[in-house]
């Protein structure tokens, strides 16, 4: 079975500072990893994915994520946070060998303060 | 805009009733997924269809069922509704060659 953990319910950061939203995963096979963002009363928007290759992947809106196989982590990062980045962020994993559905973490609320 | 369309956006109904949620996937996407988002359970995978056939099943109650039609749109049927079924129901779609799924804006179901 696959699982995802987002250890922080909320992350607070000042505008202009770097941000990190943590994610760890567990799969039996090779993982595909994703980050999605959810704004109030909206659906989930795809931010970025890791499939294979370079451990640092770049996505939309200046976000990037670092895949670390030994630590089974896939942390989301951004060098300089914007107030408009405030939203709910979900990490998800798909076990390549176990079907196509995504398993999501519990979500982390990012609050960026001016 | 993800290209995935869900209707209706909001639905209020009474306990014991039956509702149907509709999803139109992105053009060309053969896979459709249904997810439930609630405060206590988070985002839960319900069911997946691929080109009209059920492909995978998650934590879907027996009172719930789904289907995918020849034009690839999908419907999620929820019956004998209970207060605890109140949630956001998302549909997502994907193509075989790309692993990410694209989500609709969801249907907010309120059971009173």
């Amino acid at each position: 079975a696959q699982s995802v953990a987002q250890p922080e319910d909320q992350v607070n950061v000042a505008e202009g500072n770097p941000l990190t939203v943590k994610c760890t995963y567990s799969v039996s096979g090779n993982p595909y990893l994703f980050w999605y963002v959810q704004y109030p009363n909206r659906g989930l928007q795809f931010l970025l994915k890791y499939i294979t290759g370079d451990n640092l992947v770049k996505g939309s809106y200046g976000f990037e994520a670092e895949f670390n196989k030994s630590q089974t982590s896939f942390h989301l990062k951004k060098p300089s946070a914007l107030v408009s980045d405030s939203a709910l962020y979900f990490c998800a994993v798909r076990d390549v060998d176990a079907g196509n559905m995504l398993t999501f973490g519990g979500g982390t609320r990012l609050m960026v303060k001016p | 805009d993800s290209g995935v369309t869900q209707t209706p956006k909001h639905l209020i109904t009474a306990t014991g009733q039956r509702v149907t949620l509709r999803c139109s996937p992105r053009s060309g996407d053969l896979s459709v997924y249904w997810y439930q988002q609630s405060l206590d359970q988070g985002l839960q995978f319900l069911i997946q269809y691929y080109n009209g056939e059920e492909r995978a099943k998650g934590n879907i109650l027996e009172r719930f069922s789904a289907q995918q039609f020849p034009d690839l749109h999908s419907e999620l049927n929820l019956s004998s509704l209970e207060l605890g079924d109140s949630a956001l129901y998302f549909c997502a779609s994907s193509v075989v060659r790309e692993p990410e799924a694209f989500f609709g804006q969801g249907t907010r179901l309120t059971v009173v």
Side-chain angles (χ1 to χ4, degrees):
Chain A
Q2 53 200 47
S3 65
V4 178
Q6 293 180 242
E8 302 152 317
D9 289 337
Q10 182 161 317
V11 169
N12 298 310
V13 64
E15 187 174 31
N17 283 0
L19 69 88
T20 299
V21 183
K22 295 179 181 176
C23 169
T24 58
Y25 67 90
S26 173
V27 296
S28 56
N30 292 312
Y32 287 171
L33 294 156
F34 308 85
W35 277 99
Y36 286 82
V37 60
Q38 185 179 24
Y39 295 99
N41 301 314
R42 303 290 298 274
L44 279 77
Q45 289 179 236
F46 169 72
L47 274 181
L48 51 79
K49 66 185 175 188
Y50 171 82
I51 305 303
T52 186
D54 193 351
N55 289 343
L56 186 64
V57 294
K58 294 188 183 299
S60 308
Y61 312 119
F63 283 93
E64 57 191 26
E66 187 168 12
F67 172 66
N68 187 316
K69 188 173 183 178
S70 63
Q71 296 185 3
T72 61
S73 67
F74 189 56
H75 300 332
L76 180 70
K77 301 183 180 186
K78 187 173 182 181
S80 179
L82 299 172
V83 173
S84 58
D85 292 331
S86 299
L88 191 55
Y89 290 80
F90 289 95
C91 180
V93 67
R94 182 185 137 199
D95 186 337
V96 176
D97 302 318
N100 291 330
M101 71 277 201
L102 297 172
T103 298
F104 285 88
T108 298
R109 185 164 300 281
L110 174 66
M111 300 288 290
V112 181
K113 299 185 178 176
Chain B
D1 183 7
S2 67
V4 179
T5 303
Q6 289 188 248
T7 56
K9 285 187 170 50
H10 302 276
L11 200 48
I12 302 175
T13 190
T15 54
Q17 295 298 304
R18 182 179 191 275
V19 297
T20 297
L21 313 183
R22 182 188 169 101
C23 169
S24 294
R26 293 187 317 162
S27 177
D29 286 1
L30 299 180
S31 278
V32 169
Y33 313 80
W34 286 97
Y35 286 84
Q36 180 194 57
Q37 185 180 31
S38 60
L39 283 174
D40 54 345
Q41 297 285 337
L43 267 165
Q44 298 274 314
F45 167 70
L46 295 179
I47 197 164
Q48 179 203 358
Y49 277 81
Y50 178 80
N51 202 19
E53 295 190 3
E54 183 183 305
R55 181 60 67 92
K57 227 170 186 177
N59 299 321
I60 188 166
L61 299 172
E62 286 191 9
R63 301 183 284 108
F64 297 180
S65 65
Q67 53 185 325
Q68 186 179 26
F69 295 87
D71 67 353
L72 301 178
H73 91 270
S74 178
E75 293 180 356
L76 179 67
N77 301 296
L78 315 175
S79 62
S80 302
L81 285 167
E82 303 174 359
L83 295 177
D85 297 327
S86 296
L88 253 178
Y89 291 84
F90 285 111
C91 168
S93 72
S94 69
V95 294
V96 172
R97 65 181 182 276
E98 295 290 345
E100 66 268 33
F102 292 88
F103 284 74
Q105 296 209 9
T107 294
R108 182 171 294 280
L109 173 66
T110 303
V111 182
V112 297

